[in-house]
Amino acid sequence: MAIDYQERIPNNVDLSSNRTLQRALEHWQPRFLNWWQEMGPTDFQSADVYLRTAVSVDRMGWASFAAVKMPEYRWGIFLAERDTDRTFGFGDEYGRPVWQQVPGEHRSTLRRLIVTQGDTEPASVEQQRLLGLTAPSLYDLRGLFQVNVEEGRHLWAMVYLLHAYFGRDGREEAEELLCRHSGDDDKPRILRTFNEPISDWLSFFMFTFFTDRDGKYQLMSLAESGFDPLARTCQFMLTEEAHHMFIGHTGLARVTRRTLEVMEELRTDDPEAIRRGGAIDLPTIQRYINFWFSSALDLFGSESSSNAAQYFAAGLKGRPNEAQFEDHLALDQVFNLETPDGSGAITQEEIPLRNAMNEATRRAYVQECQIFLDRWNDQIQQAGGDFRYRLPSPRFRRSIGIWAGVCTDLDGRPISPEAYAARQNDWLPSDLDRSFVHSLMKPVTEPGKMAAWIAPPDRGINNLPVAHEYVRLA
Ligand SMILES: [Fe+2]
Ligand SMILES: [Fe+2]
């Protein structure tokens, strides 16, 4: 059966004249669709969803909007426009022309970087599989599905690279991306955070705020890569990623706004009273922040990393916005780290800057998260509330890096495991918190209506009203 590739798979990689790639995709695409049916959003496959689809890389009009059934979504393959004069922006190859093919000596490293990134994309779809059943509005339901189909497209983007540049082992890795599953005992997803189920919408907004933002920083680092097809692929993915984070930060702002309204109505900030009023009290939201922020920080990797140094040296993975730095070789600079000495004290350590790339990126991430917390705190202050959100210390609750397994308080001061256990329910969502949040998760399916725990968005999607029927249930 002949497939019109330009029509079926929107692309700017000249798919219709690339027989090798077509053959690989012919094999992979049906398997992807099976995976989508089995592991993608449950129950809504025949609903009409108002979705954005990437159809070109034109900045002015790269996407089209229409009501489509998700299995008929056109998952396309797009790379940002090629700059034929592009050179390495950092590392030992600095200033030389970038690679259009994979150099033999970096083949397995590049493949691993692509597979690790690619694995997170379908993983998040699997994690969010059941959320559609409890969406607080049709607007939010559409937001969830938009994120899901675009994470599906990000998987396509990585699979394209594997198929087009890595031959047989690339094709095998592409198959494996559909075989590992989030939370599976035998074949889990590669990174830990992507194996935790997301079963409530507060967690979904936390995930799109904190975890997708880690994704943004990883994509920005890979968008600097000297392997040009990878850089261009990631650059285009960033345009879609921005909307995922928008869903996260506006979602959390709306939850906060609703809580403030209930506080005002009831003239109290007593958490129990707020809960009885049907909203989520601010301290509970703070505990979710503590959980998801610390979990996202692990995704950046160890503070001191010889892998990161090697990626930087070889020009495979750079720093986000590498152009903003003065020194692109980072050879003679050092980076100061605070490390636990094992006896409860903290010592200073100097490491070569190249080894500290994960930590440098993590610090930029923390600053960006803080900007949004400041905004929400303004919102609280304007409403007359005393509470302020804060990010815990990056040392808090870490599982990866020099602080892994070290018990600290929210300020990052080392404490005993007993002291940590005693405060755990003050700092992290308790079983009671989680069951309370779960108790609010009731679907609202009337256009324009919102669940009682979340305020409506300021505006709708693509200039449509908030009350538009964004998902028409079959
Ligand atoms: Fe993604
Ligand atoms: Fe995303």
Side-chain angles (χ1 to χ4, degrees):
M1 184 181 63
I3 300 173
D4 180 345
Y5 285 96
Q6 213 57 39
E7 177 52 33
R8 185 77 198 96
I9 306 173
N11 70 90
N12 69 344
V13 296
D14 205 11
L15 188 55
S16 48
S17 60
N18 188 336
R19 277 300 298 154
T20 325
L21 194 54
Q22 278 177 30
R23 263 199 300 272
L25 283 177
E26 271 163 22
H27 186 72
W28 190 78
Q29 193 202 24
R31 305 197 46 153
F32 169 80
L33 286 174
N34 280 344
W35 167 81
W36 179 268
Q37 292 280 1
E38 276 168 34
M39 306 301 288
T42 170
D43 291 80
F44 293 93
Q45 302 286 353
S46 55
D48 289 307
V49 187
Y50 187 73
L51 291 174
R52 169 178 90 169
T53 304
V55 289
S56 82
V57 293
D58 183 348
R59 266 173 216 281
M60 298 310 289
W62 61 274
S64 71
F65 285 83
V68 293
K69 298 190 198 320
M70 285 187 280
E72 289 159 24
Y73 189 76
R74 296 192 305 151
W75 284 282
I77 301 170
F78 291 102
L79 278 64
E81 298 290 7
R82 182 171 163 196
D83 167 7
T84 46
D85 299 325
R86 182 166 177 252
T87 55
F88 278 82
F90 63 95
D92 296 343
E93 307 283 325
Y94 181 67
R96 301 207 183 106
V98 290
W99 304 311
Q100 297 305 329
Q101 291 296 330
V102 181
E105 71 268 38
H106 299 307
R107 192 183 164 85
S108 63
T109 313
L110 271 170
R111 196 182 56 216
R112 193 169 66 236
L113 282 170
I114 292 167
V115 166
T116 307
Q117 176 64 41
D119 194 67
T120 65
E121 315 287 356
S124 67
V125 177
E126 294 167 353
Q127 287 174 289
Q128 296 160 14
R129 172 173 167 70
L130 298 173
L131 279 179
L133 297 173
T134 56
S137 72
L138 288 183
Y139 167 92
D140 290 293
L141 186 59
R142 176 262 166 205
L144 167 72
F145 294 153
Q146 184 67 59
V147 171
N148 290 162
V149 292
E150 285 178 349
E151 301 305 6
R153 203 200 68 75
H154 292 176
L155 170 62
W156 273 76
M158 293 296 121
V159 163
Y160 159 74
L161 292 173
L162 291 169
H163 280 168
Y165 295 95
F166 292 87
R168 192 164 124 199
D169 32 328
R171 289 194 294 278
E172 284 167 9
E173 292 285 10
E175 299 278 309
E176 285 296 303
L177 284 168
L178 297 174
C179 293
R180 286 184 291 272
H181 296 310
S182 180
D184 192 298
D185 287 338
D186 298 326
K187 283 192 147 228
R189 291 295 177 181
I190 296 170
L191 302 170
R192 196 189 71 148
T193 311
F194 291 88
N195 286 298
E196 288 162 4
I198 300 173
S199 51
D200 66 76
W201 278 75
L202 182 58
S203 297
F204 173 65
F205 294 133
M206 293 283 168
F207 183 94
T208 42
F209 181 75
F210 286 114
T211 315
D212 276 293
R213 193 174 311 279
D214 158 76
K216 169 187 162 179
Y217 277 80
Q218 301 306 327
L219 291 176
M220 285 171 85
S221 302
L222 293 172
E224 300 287 337
S225 180
F227 176 44
D228 204 38
L230 172 62
R232 291 164 56 210
T233 300
C234 291
Q235 231 178 308
F236 187 72
M237 288 161 76
L238 281 163
T239 54
E240 289 161 323
E241 207 56 52
H243 184 63
H244 307 178
M245 288 175 294
F246 166 86
I247 286 176
H249 76 77
T250 55
L252 293 175
R254 289 163 54 209
V255 177
T256 303
R257 195 192 315 156
R258 182 61 197 141
T259 303
L260 293 170
E261 283 167 9
V262 171
M263 283 164 67
E264 179 142 337
E265 278 159 31
L266 303 177
R267 300 191 171 282
T268 177
D269 56 7
D270 172 45
E272 285 309 318
I274 304 301
R275 287 185 179 196
R276 281 195 301 275
I280 307 175
D281 53 292
L282 300 179
T284 296
I285 301 173
Q286 176 66 57
R287 288 191 283 276
Y288 274 72
I289 290 176
N290 296 343
F291 177 86
W292 284 99
F293 175 69
S294 51
S295 168
L297 291 183
D298 278 339
L299 292 169
F300 290 83
S302 291
E303 286 78 359
S304 174
S305 163
S306 52
N307 277 343
Q310 187 215 328
Y311 301 157
F312 188 87
L316 306 179
K317 187 177 175 186
R319 288 172 287 192
N321 295 324
E322 181 63 40
Q324 72 180 315
F325 297 96
E326 265 170 37
D327 171 12
H328 301 296
L329 301 184
L331 266 181
D332 311 314
Q333 296 180 58
V334 290
F335 194 94
N336 286 310
L337 277 184
E338 289 178 330
T339 55
D341 76 348
S343 69
I346 295 164
T347 55
Q348 299 285 334
E349 198 189 328
E350 243 183 25
I351 62 167
L353 179 56
R354 282 188 175 189
N355 290 62
M357 290 305 172
N358 291 341
E359 180 60 10
T361 307
R362 181 165 29 231
R363 286 191 190 175
Y365 167 88
V366 172
Q367 279 180 10
E368 190 173 292
C369 292
Q370 184 63 49
I371 292 171
F372 290 94
L373 265 76
D374 291 346
R375 251 191 235 174
W376 304 331
N377 285 337
D378 286 348
Q379 211 182 327
I380 300 173
Q381 189 182 10
Q382 277 161 23
D386 297 326
F387 193 90
R388 298 289 179 269
Y389 292 133
R390 47 167 302 205
L391 296 173
S393 161
R395 300 174 194 157
F396 176 72
R397 202 183 80 94
R398 293 290 301 281
S399 319
I400 286 174
I402 48 182
W403 290 91
V406 180
C407 292
T408 78
D409 63 14
L410 292 177
D411 294 312
R413 281 185 294 260
I415 55 173
S416 70
E418 295 74 28
Y420 181 84
R423 295 298 305 278
Q424 198 163 4
N425 284 348
D426 298 326
W427 294 339
L428 296 167
S430 66
D431 291 345
L432 278 176
D433 291 338
R434 289 188 189 277
S435 58
F436 167 68
V437 171
H438 277 216
S439 75
L440 297 176
M441 299 296 125
K442 305 261 164 52
V444 175
T445 54
E446 196 182 322
K449 289 275 176 304
M450 300 286 140
W453 55 272
I454 188 166
D458 291 334
R459 58 189 68 85
I461 295 297
N462 197 30
N463 295 322
L464 290 173
V466 172
H468 181 76
E469 193 174 5
Y470 288 102
V471 180
R472 193 160 303 134
L473 304 166

